């Protein structure tokens, strides 16, 4: 269009699997969900300036700013050392549907792990911030999904920290 140039590339891959475990009256009530999301952004040259909006951030509910990947059990946008170029997040969730009609309401238990790194050389795929907890979410038409989680962050926010995140209450909108 003549209004700028592209000199970086951003790659993301996501995987989600839902496995029904228990059905009642022909409807799946207990479902096990696994998901993974990986991302990488890098410039084509050494002096590439990448917009801060495109870089990865992690923690909390993802509502604190543009491009924040949620990680329950931690404060908003506090994982890692600021905006980063590499991201990994893994989730396991067991959901039970309390009601499906007229408004779906689910209780769930979750376990998550994720982190962000400044570049590929610093990436350590086993250096993940871990959390677990419980929550409830409901689907309200036309707003969408509204949820409340209570999660425990087992690790510190930054590498070299001394205290775990601990228990955190979380309100979220949209898919998690």
């Amino acid at each position: 269009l003549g209004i700028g140039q592209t000199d970086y590339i951003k790659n993301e891959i996501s995987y989600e699997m839902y496995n029904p475990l228990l059905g009642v009256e022909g409807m799946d009530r207990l479902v096990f969900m696994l998901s993974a999301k990986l991302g990488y952004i890098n410039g084509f040259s050494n002096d590439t300036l990448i917009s801060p909006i495109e870089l990865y951030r992690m923690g909390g509910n993802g509502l604190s700013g543009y491009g924040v990947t949620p990680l329950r059990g931690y404060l908003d946008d506090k994982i890692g050392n600021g905006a980063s170029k590499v991201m990994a997040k893994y989730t396991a969730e067991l959901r039970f549907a309390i009601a499906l009609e007229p408004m779906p309401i689910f209780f769930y238990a979750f376990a998550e792990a994720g982190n962000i790194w400044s570049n590929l050389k610093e990436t350590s795929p086993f250096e993940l911030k871990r959390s677990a907890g419980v929550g409830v979410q409901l689907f309200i038409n036309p707003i969408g999904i509204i949820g409340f989680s209570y999660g425990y962050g087992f690790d510190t926010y930054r590498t070299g920290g001394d205290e775990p995140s601990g228990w955190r209450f979380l309100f979220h909108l949209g898919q998690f």
Side-chain angles (χ1 to χ4, degrees), residues 11-117:
N11 299 297
E12 291 184 356
I13 185 167
S14 296
Y15 171 79
E16 290 185 358
M17 182 208 60
Y18 296 86
N19 187 23
L21 300 175
L22 176 68
V24 176
E25 297 175 2
M27 302 180 102
D28 296 329
R29 293 289 184 156
L30 185 64
V31 176
F32 181 64
M33 186 271 293
L34 286 174
S35 72
K37 184 175 182 181
L38 307 169
Y40 175 65
I41 187 170
N42 199 16
F44 293 132
S45 62
N46 290 339
D47 63 345
T48 299
L49 180 62
I50 299 172
S51 170
I53 293 173
E54 296 293 333
L55 296 173
Y56 295 105
R57 293 167 177 76
M58 184 174 282
N61 60 9
L63 298 175
S64 63
Y66 186 79
V68 177
T69 302
L71 189 66
R72 296 173 276 196
Y74 294 91
L75 290 174
D76 291 343
D77 193 13
K78 296 294 183 189
I79 301 293
N81 294 318
S84 299
K85 294 182 178 182
V86 183
M87 179 269 304
K89 180 186 174 191
Y90 308 96
T91 303
E93 198 169 276
L94 187 63
R95 299 178 182 176
F96 181 74
I98 298 299
L100 293 171
E101 294 292 334
M103 175 176 30
I105 302 172
F106 297 91
F107 281 118
Y108 58 86
F110 67 88
E112 289 185 322
N115 207 347
I116 56 175
W117 298 273

